[in-house]
Amino acid sequence: MMGRNNMVKSDRHELLTRYINGNPFLTDDDLAQLLGVSIQTVRLDRAELAIPEMRERVKKMARGAYQNLRAIEDHEVVGELVNLDIGHQGLSILLVNEEMTLRKTRVLDGQYLFAQANSLALALIDTEVALTGTSKVSFKRPVFRGEKVVARAVITRKKGNKYMVRVSSHVQDELVFQGKFLVFDLSEEVNRLENSY
Amino acid sequence: MMGRNNMVKSDRHELLTRYINGNPFLTDDDLAQLLGVSIQTVRLDRAELAIPEMRERVKKMARGAYQNLRAIEDHEVVGELVNLDIGHQGLSILLVNEEMTLRKTRVLDGQYLFAQANSLALALIDTEVALTGTSKVSFKRPVFRGEKVVARAVITRKKGNKYMVRVSSHVQDELVFQGKFLVFDLSEEVNRLENSY
């Protein structure tokens, strides 16, 4: 049987790069499992491709992310913000601990997936005052303790002061949550109110 | 001008009863404002109608509510559960404190309204294992610190193991949030898995 561990190195390098671009939080262990190779191989591959290890990658990404926040504050982002290209897109990660799970099912309480996505959607808006108007969300598969949820949000449409933000959240390469958020930039209205005093 | 304070007593009694049935958390002060009469009048009206004061009403309602919980646990209900007619409908109240508000806008973070509604929707399902599949929510007006959000959830449809739950949340008589939750009863699937071991 021809397994992934038998694939040629250039194909593996391409796949490895694609996995890491898709989810920078994958550890060498995660990558080894995904590619069906040893951790040692992943390390060598990364060295050849000059891709730093996970902690370094995340630290580098996160450095600027929080500084760019406008509509909400650091501690209001649910999960860790690791990338924020304000006005366009952003990325956050939520590490699921036991307190976030429902005791009966041992499954992550949906409110956390909602909160991660909603706060990331607000973070994307390039304004001082933003609020969510409506949202439509879908829980694709249960998430368990210890899993890392990577949420990726993109502004897909802007009309006047209304923004459509789409959020997809993955654990490894599995989609666990999807949401659309209609967010309002209320800065003009607030300014108008303040000027009328 | 003919104001509400000029309405006949029987009409006022009817309105008072309707307000309290709609939202048992209305204080005498709230009711006085809504009816445009003095607090003293509200107290006399309640005495005539044999309606206990707010604290007593809520205590009485809440007594049985938590005992009926199945799919989620006491502390997993966001807000205070005050009524639970399992399989049918339920009511919870969330008192908004400062930590729940976004600093920039001083507005309640939408995740709390979602969490209150979602946990109430799960609480309604008469099973040991329930999970939210999809939901569509709409934030109708900003909610501020000190406000009391009364969420009312009703199972509107059941098909196989799928339940449609509608939630409306009000502050006084204003709609602040609306949501539809599609919830799955997974008890059969879990039993099947357990029996296959």
Side-chain angles (χ1 to χ4, degrees):
Chain A
M1 203 183 86
M2 176 79 175
R4 273 182 167 169
N5 45 349
N6 293 321
M7 81 176 100
V8 293
K9 203 207 254 185
S10 61
D11 286 349
R12 199 177 62 229
H13 278 190
E14 204 194 308
L15 207 52
L16 181 79
T17 311
R18 210 188 300 156
Y19 277 133
I20 292 178
N21 286 340
N23 178 355
F25 305 98
L26 293 173
T27 59
D28 288 347
D29 197 26
D30 295 333
L31 290 163
Q33 280 182 35
L34 284 167
L35 295 166
V37 296
S38 70
I39 295 189
Q40 201 51 39
T41 304
V42 171
R43 285 193 191 130
L44 287 169
D45 283 350
R46 279 201 298 95
E48 286 178 45
L49 293 163
I51 298 175
E53 60 153 354
M54 193 267 280
R55 277 173 197 286
E56 282 308 308
R57 289 199 298 273
V58 172
K59 220 188 277 173
K60 210 169 138 189
M61 289 178 74
R63 221 163 276 152
Y66 282 98
Q67 294 171 10
N68 298 332
L69 278 177
R70 293 193 65 196
I72 61 173
E73 309 216 325
D74 294 20
H75 66 278
E76 294 169 348
V77 177
V78 175
E80 195 172 353
L81 188 70
V82 284
N83 182 248
L84 182 62
D85 175 8
I86 204 162
H88 302 283
Q89 55 182 312
L91 200 79
S92 79
I93 180 164
L94 181 71
L95 178 59
V96 179
N97 63 37
E98 189 161 8
E99 289 93 80
M100 300 176 190
T101 60
L102 297 171
R103 216 190 57 81
K104 289 270 172 75
T105 48
R106 307 253 166 211
V107 159
L108 174 63
D109 188 341
Q111 66 171 275
Y112 292 97
L113 290 172
F114 181 89
Q116 179 186 20
N118 184 51
S119 61
L120 187 59
L122 290 174
L124 291 194
I125 314 302
D126 196 2
T127 178
E128 292 294 325
V129 195
L131 283 176
T132 304
T134 61
S135 98
K136 201 171 164 181
V137 300
S138 165
F139 300 90
K140 298 297 186 181
R141 80 124 162 100
V143 176
F144 301 93
R145 180 170 56 145
E147 291 191 314
K148 278 173 292 186
V149 182
V150 180
R152 190 182 288 276
V154 182
I155 295 178
T156 55
R157 220 168 47 228
K158 176 186 185 319
K159 201 180 168 186
N161 69 334
K162 291 200 279 276
Y163 294 79
M164 178 58 78
V165 183
R166 280 174 190 270
V167 185
S168 304
S169 304
H170 288 80
V171 169
Q172 305 253 23
D173 53 353
E174 276 187 277
L175 184 68
V176 297
F177 171 92
Q178 237 174 354
K180 282 197 297 190
F181 295 82
L182 185 68
V183 182
F184 296 90
D185 171 359
L186 296 179
S187 55
E188 296 243 329
E189 284 175 51
V190 169
N191 282 337
R192 211 175 302 133
L193 281 171
E194 278 172 356
N195 290 333
S196 70
Y197 279 113
Chain B
M1 205 183 84
M2 176 80 173
R4 274 180 166 170
N5 43 348
N6 294 321
M7 79 177 100
V8 292
K9 204 207 254 184
S10 61
D11 286 350
R12 199 177 62 228
H13 278 191
E14 203 195 308
L15 206 51
L16 181 79
T17 311
R18 209 187 303 157
Y19 277 133
I20 292 178
N21 286 339
N23 178 357
F25 305 99
L26 292 174
T27 61
D28 288 347
D29 197 26
D30 294 334
L31 290 162
Q33 280 182 36
L34 284 167
L35 295 164
V37 297
S38 70
I39 295 189
Q40 201 50 38
T41 304
V42 172
R43 287 194 190 129
L44 288 168
D45 284 352
R46 278 201 298 97
E48 286 178 44
L49 294 162
I51 298 175
E53 60 154 353
M54 192 267 280
R55 276 173 199 286
E56 282 309 308
R57 289 199 298 273
V58 172
K59 222 188 275 173
K60 210 169 138 189
M61 291 178 73
R63 221 163 276 151
Y66 282 97
Q67 294 170 12
N68 298 332
L69 277 178
R70 292 194 66 197
I72 61 173
E73 310 218 324
D74 295 20
H75 67 278
E76 294 169 349
V77 177
V78 175
E80 195 173 353
L81 188 69
V82 283
N83 182 248
L84 182 62
D85 175 9
I86 205 163
H88 301 282
Q89 55 182 310
L91 200 79
S92 79
I93 180 165
L94 180 72
L95 178 60
V96 179
N97 63 36
E98 188 161 8
E99 290 92 81
M100 301 175 189
T101 59
L102 297 170
R103 215 190 58 81
K104 289 271 173 74
T105 48
R106 307 253 165 212
V107 160
L108 175 63
D109 189 342
Q111 65 170 276
Y112 292 97
L113 291 171
F114 181 89
Q116 179 186 20
N118 184 52
S119 61
L120 187 59
L122 290 174
L124 291 193
I125 315 301
D126 196 3
T127 178
E128 292 294 325
V129 196
L131 283 177
T132 304
T134 61
S135 99
K136 202 171 162 179
V137 300
S138 164
F139 300 90
K140 298 297 187 181
R141 80 128 162 98
V143 175
F144 301 94
R145 179 169 58 144
E147 292 190 315
K148 279 174 292 186
V149 182
V150 180
R152 189 181 289 276
V154 183
I155 295 179
T156 55
R157 219 169 47 229
K158 177 186 182 321
K159 200 179 167 187
N161 69 335
K162 290 199 281 275
Y163 294 80
M164 178 59 77
V165 184
R166 280 173 190 271
V167 185
S168 304
S169 304
H170 288 81
V171 169
Q172 306 254 23
D173 53 353
E174 276 186 277
L175 184 68
V176 297
F177 172 91
Q178 235 172 357
K180 283 196 296 189
F181 294 82
L182 185 68
V183 182
F184 297 91
D185 171 0
L186 296 179
S187 54
E188 296 244 327
E189 284 175 53
V190 169
N191 282 339
R192 211 174 302 135
L193 280 171
E194 278 171 357
N195 290 333
S196 70
Y197 280 112

